[in-house]
Amino acid sequence: MKTKVVIIGAGPSGLLLGQLLQRQGIDNVILERVTPDYVLGRIRAGVLEQGFADLLRAAGAGERMDQEGEVHDGVEIAVDGKRTHIDFKKLTGGKSVIVYGQTELTRDLMEARENSNQISYYEAQNVTPHEIEGELPFVSFEHDGKKHKIQCDYIAGCDGYHGISRKSIPREHITEYEEIYPGGWLGLLSETPPVNPELVYVRHERGFALCSMRSQTRSRYYIQVGADEMVEDWSDERFWQELKRRLPDDLAEKLITGPSIEKSIAPMRSFVVEPMQYGCLFLLGDAAHIVPPTGAKGLNTAASDVHALYSILSKVYNEGRTDLIDTYSERCLRRVWNGQRFSWWMTNLLHKFPGTSAFEEKIHSSELEYYLNTEEGRRIIAEQYVGLPYDEA
Ligand code: APR
Ligand code: PHB
């Protein structure tokens, strides 16, 4: 079998890249380790920057997002009970974000791929890149008990943090940067109306909280918990009581609680690998970087990697611009580190981590005071949150 690009992983990165390449006439094959239902079962954030929404539309998978997604013109940050509105429209010259669950956009991309008759192998085992520095790279894998080999020009590693792609690069050629935060996010999904029309990020002495949503009838809430906490120790009742204690009084009074339909704890970590390419292998999304969810940058930074590689490969195949191949990593990392910094900054300012000195606490309070109480400060937050423009190839 032969194709131009083998994409390892059918999460948001792999599916979005596959669709965009196909619409440029660049054939590709996706190899995914698990079943479609397993991929769809992952509950993840769903705040889309405008650039991501535009890519989904360009991929022919934006229709349901435009129908069902919610456009948000702002977000709130509450510090010790005082709520501050960050007005995206006013502060960024009209930009906004779309709230639309990752599960839904993944489903839309899967449907678009099925309709495009592109080849995808789910439950592909032992996917292995070969000759990634050579002239004739290929990927081997097993499916339905048979061994397969796909010759290709390029390999897109969209296989997440635990995938095979990053591990296929010789260790001496990569540098990994990591920061582990001493806590996690306990998230609860409920069929209840959101407590507020926009997201509310909460800094409280008991710890961080976030009020988010999936629709007008489905809410997503988070509270910061200790790194060693177990979800089994958190009944729904305990969760709701703790959330109410952290919310500003007027929100706590309005909060409508209900049974959880999903509840889990996610660790918080920052991670970046450099470079994001080696030979014909490119790393995208969680395969190359992880952010704490505070800035809603995980999905959006993955999308900007996809935009970079899709733009480059379109010019390679349609204009012969092979000189652009080696620009991928540097181009992605500029935006990756910007997203890392914003996520790190939001995380440290809004969480109460053990081991933070009283002096650091005062510095965090003063920094938040400056950013929230000045238009310049609110503009910086707004511009970062809605997303900086993508670089063009
Ligand atoms: N072979 C084939 N597929 C693999 C392998 C492998 N060896 N290892 C992992 N995969 C698949 C996983 O099953 C998963 O479906 O690669 C996919 C990677 O998807 P994600 O982990 O969702 O990563 P990505 O597509 O980059 O999306 C990033 O998802 O994890 C969230 O917060 C993250 O929102 C961000 C987004
Ligand atoms: C979510 O809705 O799951 C969500 C929203 C914003 C974040 C993180 C998670 O920053």
Side-chain angles (χ1 to χ4, degrees):
M1 196 186 322
K2 183 164 174 47
T3 189
K4 291 190 173 71
V5 183
V6 170
I7 299 171
I8 305 177
S13 301
L15 289 165
L16 180 58
L17 178 64
Q19 275 307 102
L20 290 167
L21 291 176
Q22 184 266 335
R23 291 171 82 94
Q24 286 291 320
I26 302 169
D27 63 275
N28 59 88
V29 174
I30 289 183
L31 305 177
E32 167 55 57
R33 182 164 58 181
V34 298
T35 63
D37 284 347
Y38 191 98
V39 175
L40 290 171
R42 296 176 182 133
I43 302 288
R44 295 274 170 67
V47 174
L48 312 186
E49 295 175 359
Q50 214 149 315
F52 191 169
D54 291 341
L55 281 180
L56 269 178
R57 297 180 186 113
E63 189 178 344
R64 201 156 66 99
M65 171 192 68
D66 286 329
Q67 288 166 356
E68 299 174 17
E70 300 197 352
V71 176
H72 282 211
D73 296 335
V75 72
E76 282 195 25
I77 298 179
V79 178
D80 301 331
K82 180 173 181 274
R83 298 166 61 177
T84 301
H85 183 243
I86 308 288
D87 185 338
F88 298 152
K89 285 274 184 200
K90 174 171 172 256
L91 295 165
T92 66
K95 290 187 179 178
S96 55
V97 295
I98 295 182
V99 173
Y100 186 62
Q102 180 172 316
T103 303
E104 301 318 310
L105 70 90
T106 303
R107 191 192 315 280
D108 299 338
L109 285 166
M110 279 182 181
E111 286 172 8
R113 184 157 183 92
E114 280 165 24
N115 297 336
S116 70
N117 299 318
Q118 291 285 296
I119 300 171
S120 307
Y121 287 91
Y122 283 86
E123 298 181 88
Q125 300 308 312
N126 301 320
V127 174
T128 309
H130 300 269
E131 300 296 320
I132 55 180
E133 291 177 271
E135 293 302 313
L136 295 172
F138 65 94
V139 177
S140 63
F141 66 101
E142 289 146 33
H143 186 261
D144 276 349
K146 296 192 185 87
K147 293 186 183 297
H148 297 267
K149 175 179 174 179
I150 307 180
Q151 294 284 359
C152 56
D153 299 333
Y154 301 105
I155 302 167
C158 301
D159 47 351
Y161 180 76
H162 300 289
I164 185 66
S165 297
R166 189 176 69 252
K167 296 166 189 156
S168 300
I169 301 176
R171 294 238 16 116
E172 63 270 21
H173 289 283
I174 60 173
T175 304
E176 296 185 347
Y177 303 87
E178 187 166 45
E179 175 91 359
I180 306 287
Y181 300 87
W185 277 22
L186 169 58
L188 182 145
L189 195 64
S190 58
E191 289 297 349
T192 55
V195 71
N196 192 57
E198 294 178 336
L199 273 65
V200 184
Y201 290 81
V202 180
R203 180 177 190 246
H204 188 275
E205 62 179 9
R206 294 179 64 84
F208 170 83
L210 170 62
C211 304
S212 183
M213 71 235 14
R214 293 291 176 269
S215 68
Q216 286 309 307
T217 59
R218 178 171 287 198
S219 298
R220 181 72 170 166
Y221 294 102
Y222 296 94
I223 56 174
Q224 174 192 348
V225 294
D228 54 354
E229 298 250 12
M230 308 288 286
V231 67
E232 294 76 18
D233 296 334
W234 284 87
S235 67
D236 289 2
E237 184 56 34
R238 184 185 175 197
F239 179 93
W240 292 121
Q241 287 311 316
E242 183 58 36
L243 177 63
K244 282 181 181 176
R245 294 181 73 171
R246 299 185 188 187
L247 294 184
D249 292 345
D250 55 342
L251 286 181
E253 284 160 20
K254 288 197 298 185
L255 182 68
I256 296 175
T257 66
S260 59
I261 53 178
E262 193 274 347
K263 193 164 51 179
S264 55
I265 295 179
M268 286 195 284
R269 174 181 53 211
S270 296
F271 172 83
V272 179
V273 68
E274 291 189 359
M276 288 175 52
Q277 73 184 91
Y278 182 74
C280 73
L281 174 63
F282 300 94
L283 302 180
L284 297 86
D286 278 16
H289 40 73
I290 299 282
V291 282
T294 325
K297 289 303 168 196
L299 199 50
N300 290 299
T301 312
S304 57
D305 296 343
V306 170
H307 176 266
L309 187 57
Y310 146 69
S311 307
I312 288 168
L313 291 180
S314 299
K315 293 194 173 182
V316 165
Y317 284 106
N318 299 332
E319 302 171 26
R321 292 293 307 277
T322 52
D323 61 298
L324 294 175
I325 285 293
D326 290 340
T327 66
Y328 169 76
S329 182
E330 183 188 347
R331 178 171 155 185
C332 286
L333 284 168
R334 275 197 297 274
R335 194 184 169 90
V336 163
W337 280 110
N338 185 67
Q340 288 286 335
R341 182 188 46 71
F342 178 65
S343 303
W344 170 86
W345 182 79
M346 285 273 279
T347 299
N348 278 296
L349 285 199
L350 297 177
H351 289 72
K352 188 150 179 71
F353 288 130
T356 304
S357 69
F359 175 78
E360 286 168 316
E361 286 288 339
K362 296 298 280 183
I363 293 295
H364 292 168
S365 297
S366 170
E367 188 162 356
L368 270 172
E369 177 86 12
Y370 169 75
Y371 276 92
L372 296 178
N373 294 338
T374 64
E375 183 163 316
E376 296 77 9
R378 291 194 296 273
R379 176 171 288 106
I380 287 171
I381 294 174
E383 286 173 347
Q384 293 289 333
Y385 198 92
V386 300
L388 302 179
Y390 290 161
D391 294 348
E392 290 308 324

